[in-house]
């Protein structure tokens, strides 16, 4: 049995994974960004009869008080899953939105990971850090470049921590989901239309919407990814890199290989 802290458990893959891990027999601290999500998830946990397996609490990775509270929690596995996305064409997206996305997806998650690592080092705990990245950590897509850039950064952070922490016994893994129909991808695509202005920008709304519709048309059943995340996180040992589903792994490899022969 593992004692697992997971962020971003209010919705989507994080929520499903937290529940799945508890159903698999692990102790889970499932954290959400908002108090309203805490209340809703606690009620759902009780309905499922998992109250003795899941503790639900608020952990906004940008809130210093929430971060400080982590020091009092008991866990040996940290699943860094919290993420946001601001989207739109990279050539024109306001840079303050880029900074905001990096602040949550990269800087805040790194700060929390550092705190967890220090706690484990001081206690002599051979903990595990699981960084939920994305297929976007290895490739890009129209309008999603900012989100992908944050995931590229997480890949470098994860690989560096993996090597640095080897002497401590603390292990690092990454999980790279493909495109799953949780609503997250659709919501971040919508953010582009809060700033895109046809009277100002050369990227026009109708064209951006058409490109997003094409990208978002083919998404997988999220339960498939949830089951895989439960398997990976719950295992005693496993691969460092975990891209899922297999079709996405193959796509990533094709894109990376093509980059070596691409000309401009």
């Amino acid at each position: 049995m593992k004692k697992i802290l997971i962020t971003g458990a209010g919705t989507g893959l994080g929520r499903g994974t937290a529940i799945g891990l508890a159903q698999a027999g692990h102790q889970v601290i499932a954290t959400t960004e908002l108090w309203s999500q805490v209340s809703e998830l606690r009620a759902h946990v009780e309905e499922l009869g998992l109250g003795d397996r899941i503790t639900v609490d608020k952990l906004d990775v940008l809130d210093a008080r929430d971060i400080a509270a982590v020091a009092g929690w008991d866990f040996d596995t940290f699943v860094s899953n919290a993420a946001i996305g601001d989207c739109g064409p990279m050539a024109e997206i306001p840079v303050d939105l880029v900074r905001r996305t990096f602040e949550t997806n990269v800087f805040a998650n790194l700060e929390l990971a550092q705190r967890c690592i220090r706690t484990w080092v001081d206690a002599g705990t051979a903990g595990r850090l699981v960084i939920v990245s994305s297929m976007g950590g290895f490739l890009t897509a129209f309008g999603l470049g900012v989100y992908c850039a944050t995931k590229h950064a997480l890949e470098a952070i994860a690989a560096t921590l993996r090597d640095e922490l080897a002497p401590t016994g603390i292990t690092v893994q990454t999980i790279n989901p493909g495109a799953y129909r949780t609503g997250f991808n659709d919501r971040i695509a919508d953010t582009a239309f809060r700033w895109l202005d046809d009277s100002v920008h050369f990227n026009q709304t109708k064209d951006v919407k058409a490109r997003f519709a094409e990208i978002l048309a083919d998404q997988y059943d999220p339960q498939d990814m949830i089951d895989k995340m439960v398997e990976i996180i719950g295992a005693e040992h496993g691969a460092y890199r975990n891209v899922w589903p297999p079709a996405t792994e193959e796509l990533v490899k094709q894109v990376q290989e093509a980059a070596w022969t691409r000309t401009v």
Side-chain angles (χ1 to χ4, degrees):
M1 180 195 74
K2 293 186 175 183
K3 294 178 286 186
I4 302 164
L5 167 63
I6 179 169
T7 57
T11 60
L13 298 179
R15 177 189 174 103
T17 299
I19 291 170
L21 286 165
Q23 291 172 329
H26 302 286
Q27 288 295 142
V28 180
I29 304 172
T31 65
T32 72
E33 178 187 4
L34 306 172
W35 282 116
S36 58
Q37 293 173 318
V38 171
S39 299
E40 194 279 329
L41 184 53
R42 282 178 178 169
H44 185 56
V45 165
E46 290 302 321
E47 289 174 1
L48 294 174
L50 294 173
D52 61 336
R53 290 285 184 184
I54 302 182
T55 300
V56 181
D57 211 332
K58 177 178 177 290
L59 176 47
D60 178 348
V61 296
L62 297 178
D63 189 316
R65 293 182 179 85
D66 287 359
I67 296 296
V70 173
W73 297 346
D74 180 23
F75 57 95
D76 54 38
T77 302
F78 171 42
V79 181
S80 181
N81 176 67
I84 64 168
D86 282 292
C87 286
M90 183 70 85
E92 299 192 277
I93 187 171
V95 175
D96 66 300
L97 298 181
V98 179
R99 289 194 183 96
R100 181 170 73 178
T101 307
F102 268 82
E103 189 62 46
T104 295
N105 295 6
V106 180
F107 306 134
N109 279 318
L110 174 58
E111 181 180 4
L112 182 53
Q114 288 178 336
R115 286 174 176 258
C116 295
I117 290 164
R118 184 53 191 263
T119 299
W120 291 333
V121 169
D122 290 346
T125 301
R128 180 178 295 182
L129 171 61
V130 181
I131 294 178
V132 180
S133 179
S134 166
M135 64 185 291
F138 304 117
L139 47 75
T140 59
F142 174 84
L144 304 176
V146 172
Y147 179 76
C148 292
T150 66
K151 297 301 186 176
H152 275 65
L154 286 181
E155 292 297 325
I157 289 169
T160 304
L161 289 173
R162 175 197 63 201
D163 297 339
E164 287 182 356
L165 295 172
T168 71
I170 297 170
T171 56
V172 179
Q173 286 179 291
T174 61
I175 299 177
N176 300 76
Y180 283 89
R181 196 177 299 105
T182 64
F184 179 78
N185 298 319
D186 304 82
R187 290 194 301 271
I188 65 174
D190 286 342
T191 65
F193 306 109
R194 288 297 181 93
W195 62 265
L196 196 61
D197 184 342
D198 287 351
S199 68
V200 175
H201 300 109
F202 64 82
N203 285 282
Q204 296 291 285
T205 299
K206 64 178 179 60
D207 299 325
V208 174
K209 285 185 175 180
R211 294 289 297 276
F212 277 153
E214 181 181 353
I215 292 168
L216 297 171
D218 188 17
Q219 299 186 68
Y220 300 107
D221 178 356
Q223 190 60 49
D224 172 65
M225 191 68 229
I226 289 167
D227 292 342
K228 191 64 178 178
M229 289 175 70
V230 170
E231 175 190 329
I232 294 165
I233 298 164
E236 287 302 313
H237 304 283
Y240 161 70
R241 176 171 290 167
N242 299 273
V243 182
W244 194 258
T248 297
E249 179 179 348
E250 183 60 30
L251 172 62
V252 165
K253 291 176 179 177
Q254 291 173 0
V255 168
Q256 292 193 321
E257 180 66 24
W260 290 97
T261 58
R262 185 167 184 169
T263 59
V264 295

